[in-house]
Amino acid sequence: MDAQYSRREATNVTLVGMLLDLLLGVGKIVGGTVTNSFALITDGIHSLTDAGTDIFVLIVTRVSHAEPDAEHQYGHGRFETLGTIAMGVVFFITAAILLYDSINRLQLDEPLPTPSVGGIAIALLSIAAKEWIFHYTMRVAKKLNSSLLRANAWHSRTDAISSVAVLVGIIGARQGYSWMDTVAGMFVALIIAKIGWELCADSLIELVDTAVPKQRREQFESCILSVDGIRGITELRSRTTGGKIILEVRLLVNSYISVSEGHQLGELVNKSIISQFGDVSEVLIHIDPVQHEITENELQLPERSEVIASLKSCWSNLIDPQSIASLDLHYLGGAIEVDLMLDVDELLMETARQLEAAIEAEPYITKLRIFNKLHESNHDSAAS
């Protein structure tokens, strides 16, 4: 699913929600004024704040789905996380305002007005409309795995729940309990505050790079170990950005395979995870040999250039340096193993024993394997 498609889907659902919020907000404020329902007016203000956050979502979504650039090489997903936190803060502010107004209204000396029956019809219409937009937005949020759209969907759900509270409050006020219309506003405030806390908490968990749950980790490990050639997992780290998971994995492979084969195994693991888990955006892989151990002794081992110079010095009187086709070093288990490839017509056993004896003074070399290079054939040339 490309970024352009995701951005278009997120924009469309947000525009629909914004238009609905504007219509409901104005309708509930006007309706609440006409029907003498304080809760309905408060709920209308809530709907207008929804429209404001919809505009905010449009801006943040455009930024968060932008392609990685030189300054944001892991993409812009964290902008969506910050946007979700900002929405949570808006929830808190809205809740505080509603709660403050409701408490002040209850403290008034004069009798509270009784809402008319028209407020019930407006509340029912609001409930139906907000439930519809909640389910519509949540479907798109799950499809795109967008935490910001999920936040916006829940914002719509809080508006539906608040309308239910308004409905109960109006009915109660019409039955003689005039204070219930105001208490409905207080109930709305508490619901909004709770959702705001949950949104902020979830996004803060992402911002501090909290690892994925144990169950998800086990799923990733199972997928990795199913790739033929992977001997084990040394380390698996995870973090989330913009609803997408980034994995860092250290894989154990046969100690003697080539660099290119190790790279190929890493690519196979990457492809397997990305194809199996749609919420993983990137897999960073490091290849470790099975016998690899990071010890203080290993860190003190000489570098390749020093080892090669020492070996050639030890063998200077035994073989022609020009006959060395390749010299490969394996840093394993706190020591070095050497693979020597000679380009000679015949390799005598006595020569091999002499080469091995010559490096006995090098304590960090634990094994020497000597190979006689076969004559190469150029298949491309032959075919032409």
Side-chain angles (χ1 to χ4, degrees):
M1 188 180 300
D2 58 35
Q4 184 177 1
Y5 175 80
S6 298
R7 184 166 56 247
R8 184 172 62 251
E9 287 287 294
T11 300
N12 289 341
V13 69
T14 305
L15 285 174
V16 172
M18 182 177 65
L19 178 61
L20 186 61
D21 288 332
L22 287 172
L23 294 174
L24 286 175
V26 174
K28 284 188 283 189
I29 291 175
V30 173
T33 303
V34 172
T35 62
N36 293 319
S37 173
F38 173 77
L40 200 56
I41 293 174
T42 304
D43 202 26
I45 295 173
H46 182 199
S47 292
L48 291 181
T49 62
D50 285 352
T53 55
D54 286 337
I55 296 174
F56 185 76
V57 167
L58 287 175
I59 297 173
V60 175
T61 299
R62 181 171 293 275
V63 175
S64 65
H65 284 91
E67 296 293 338
D69 53 35
E71 295 182 351
H72 306 91
Q73 298 176 350
Y74 288 95
H76 301 76
R78 286 288 168 86
F79 285 94
E80 181 170 325
T81 308
L82 292 173
T84 305
I85 291 177
M87 286 189 65
V89 172
V90 170
F91 276 46
F92 278 122
I93 295 174
T94 303
I97 293 173
L98 294 176
L99 190 60
Y100 177 78
D101 289 345
S102 299
I103 292 174
N104 285 343
R105 185 176 174 82
L106 287 176
Q107 293 176 344
L108 294 176
D109 294 331
E110 60 270 18
L112 297 174
T114 301
S116 65
V117 70
I120 296 177
I122 297 175
L124 287 172
L125 177 63
S126 175
I127 294 169
K130 295 306 293 186
E131 270 299 297
W132 174 80
I133 195 63
F134 165 76
H135 289 287
Y136 175 37
T137 306
M138 188 59 75
R139 282 198 303 270
V140 177
K142 291 179 179 178
K143 183 178 180 181
L144 303 182
N145 195 31
S146 170
S147 60
L148 189 59
L149 284 180
R150 284 192 182 93
N152 211 27
W154 278 109
H155 202 167
S156 298
R157 170 56 67 82
T158 62
D159 207 359
I161 295 174
S162 68
S163 294
V164 171
V166 169
L167 177 63
V168 174
I170 293 174
I171 293 175
R174 288 186 56 79
Q175 297 300 316
Y177 305 98
S178 58
W179 51 267
M180 286 188 65
D181 184 59
T182 304
V183 171
M186 299 176 66
F187 179 76
V188 171
L190 294 175
I191 292 176
I192 296 173
K194 177 180 181 295
I195 300 299
W197 165 253
E198 292 174 349
L199 293 177
C200 288
D202 290 343
S203 295
L204 286 173
I205 287 175
E206 178 176 320
L207 284 180
V208 296
D209 287 335
T210 303
V212 298
K214 181 180 179 181
Q215 182 180 3
R216 293 305 311 280
R217 178 188 175 92
E218 291 175 349
Q219 291 175 348
F220 295 143
E221 290 177 345
S222 177
C223 176
I224 292 170
L225 294 176
S226 67
V227 176
D228 187 27
I230 301 301
R231 299 289 186 86
I233 301 172
T234 304
E235 184 179 33
L236 191 155
R237 299 193 296 174
S238 60
R239 56 193 176 99
T240 305
T241 175
K244 296 292 185 179
I245 299 173
I246 296 177
L247 295 178
E248 298 181 33
V249 189
R250 297 180 70 97
L251 303 175
L252 288 176
V253 301
N254 188 304
S255 302
Y256 301 103
I257 64 174
S258 65
V259 172
S260 60
E261 185 178 356
H263 172 76
Q264 175 68 7
L265 288 174
E267 289 297 309
L268 289 175
V269 168
N270 180 79
K271 181 179 179 181
S272 179
I273 292 178
I274 294 295
S275 62
Q276 187 169 332
F277 302 99
D279 57 347
V280 177
S281 63
E282 189 169 359
V283 185
L284 308 176
I285 295 176
H286 180 86
I287 300 296
D288 284 335
V290 171
Q291 299 176 359
H292 184 68
E293 297 178 8
I294 299 296
T295 62
E296 183 177 350
N297 181 45
E298 180 171 316
L299 295 176
Q300 295 176 352
L301 291 173
E303 297 180 4
R304 175 180 173 82
S305 58
E306 184 179 345
V307 176
I308 297 300
S310 178
L311 290 174
K312 288 184 176 180
S313 175
C314 293
W315 294 335
S316 59
N317 296 326
L318 299 175
I319 57 174
D320 182 1
Q322 299 298 323
S323 67
I324 299 179
S326 65
L327 196 54
D328 298 323
L329 308 181
H330 302 279
Y331 286 76
L332 302 171
I336 300 176
E337 298 181 12
V338 180
D339 286 347
L340 172 64
M341 178 75 73
L342 295 176
D343 188 6
V344 294
D345 292 334
E346 184 178 0
L347 179 61
L348 300 178
M349 185 62 68
E350 179 61 27
T351 302
R353 282 196 291 266
Q354 291 174 352
L355 291 172
E356 186 174 9
I359 61 171
E360 289 180 352
E362 305 295 342
Y364 51 83
I365 298 179
T366 58
K367 187 177 296 185
L368 171 65
R369 288 179 291 270
I370 304 174
F371 305 91
N372 189 12
K373 182 180 179 181
L374 298 176
H375 292 291
E376 296 179 352
S377 60
N378 192 326
H379 294 289
D380 293 336
S381 298
S384 61

